[in-house]
Amino acid sequence: MKIAAIDSSGLVASVAILDGETILATYSVNYKKTHSQTLLPMLAEITQMTEFEMNTLDAIAVAKGPGSFTGLRIGSATAKGLGQALEKPIIEVPTLDAMAYQLYAVERVICPMMDARRGQVYTGLYCFKREDGTTRFIVLEPQCATAVEDVIEKVNTLGRPVIYLGDGVPVHEAVLKEKTKVDFEFAPACCNRQDATALASLAAIYYEQGNTVSAAAHRPDYLRLSQAERERLEKEGKSNG
């Protein structure tokens, strides 16, 4: 199985190529450049370095959202373009699921969170469970947009140790420390942001399950309206009132 993975859902731009059980190459940049400037050059670099033939891919994986509206559009457009050009299917991977999957087999509840502004985070709750010699990835709470206090309440209700990761952590660090009542820790820099290698690994499971869409059918999942759309609706509401 050969998968090219693309994640541009946040500040990090990340691409990777998975060949069977091996990550052939990965390239991630967390710097102030637009993803439209970075994704294709990064992908071109790793394919050239590994002499990888893109037409041998089985599928293209992409972080489908939530996340930065602009970043998601760029990542989706890149994946759709490659998929249509190469006639390959798209594997849509929820952003927060892929972030949580980086912490494979940890015993804690995993709580990734991305800063969604307006007092909210994109988040979800996950864990790994060992059964019959197999480690299963379990979604305890599917990804959503919510107030950080609400997800902390859910963490406290579970009553299990938790690990937080994502760019929402430094933004809300004070309230996380103040209101989390269970044992908690913050993921280190090596695994606290989006990473296309985890995206590719989770996408391989989806691919084996037949969870793909055509390039033409792929759409990002924003979870909530963009700021421009919210402002337009607010203006329309005022004008109607």
Side-chain angles (χ1 to χ4, degrees):
M1 183 190 308
K2 297 180 180 181
I3 295 172
I6 298 169
D7 193 330
S8 59
S9 57
L11 293 176
V12 176
S14 186
V15 296
I17 295 176
L18 173 71
D19 186 354
E21 298 297 320
T22 302
I23 296 291
L24 290 184
T26 181
Y27 193 153
S28 296
V29 174
N30 186 6
Y31 191 67
K32 297 177 182 179
K33 287 188 176 182
T34 63
H35 296 322
S36 59
Q37 294 176 294
T38 56
L39 283 180
L40 284 175
M42 289 162 59
L43 194 56
E45 179 72 17
I46 63 175
T47 54
Q48 290 171 9
M49 288 288 291
T50 58
E51 299 180 350
F52 184 81
E53 296 292 339
M54 291 291 283
N55 58 7
T56 66
L57 285 172
D58 292 296
I60 297 160
V62 64
K64 75 170 185 176
S68 157
F69 286 82
T70 301
L72 290 175
R73 290 188 184 106
I74 293 169
S76 290
T78 302
K80 284 172 72 73
L82 288 171
Q84 290 173 333
L86 299 170
E87 299 182 343
K88 305 297 181 180
I90 303 293
I91 309 168
E92 300 175 322
V93 181
T95 303
L96 279 301
D97 293 27
M99 290 178 67
Y101 201 74
Q102 294 181 76
L103 302 179
Y104 185 82
V106 300
E107 296 182 354
R108 292 173 177 263
V109 171
I110 305 165
C111 182
M113 56 177 62
M114 300 171 65
D115 183 28
R117 301 183 181 180
R118 297 171 66 92
Q120 290 193 324
V121 290
Y122 297 122
T123 188
L125 294 176
Y126 307 84
C127 71
F128 288 91
K129 186 175 182 179
R130 187 73 175 173
E131 288 183 337
D132 300 325
T134 301
T135 299
R136 293 175 53 218
F137 179 56
I138 299 173
V139 179
L140 298 172
E141 291 283 346
Q143 60 180 23
C144 63
T146 188
V148 66
E149 291 84 0
D150 291 341
V151 72
I152 294 173
E153 183 178 348
K154 290 180 179 179
V155 166
N156 290 336
T157 299
L158 286 173
R160 298 167 55 185
V162 65
I163 183 166
Y164 294 112
L165 69 150
D167 61 33
V169 171
V171 176
H172 300 284
E173 182 174 350
V175 70
L176 289 170
K177 288 181 175 179
E178 176 188 354
K179 297 190 175 183
T180 302
K181 303 305 180 183
V182 298
D183 181 57
F184 71 91
E185 60 181 302
F186 299 139
C190 61
C191 55
N192 68 4
R193 294 294 189 273
Q194 288 88 335
D195 188 337
T197 59
L199 181 80
S201 296
L202 187 54
I205 297 174
Y206 290 177
Y207 184 82
E208 290 177 344
Q209 296 171 344
N211 294 332
T212 65
V213 299
S214 68
H218 167 64
R219 298 289 185 277
D221 182 7
Y222 301 113
L223 281 190
R224 69 179 194 183
L225 297 175
S226 68
Q227 181 176 346
E229 290 170 319
R230 291 194 302 268
E231 291 175 351
R232 176 179 59 79
L233 291 175
E234 288 172 1
K235 289 179 180 179
E236 290 177 353
K238 290 178 181 178
S239 63
N240 293 333

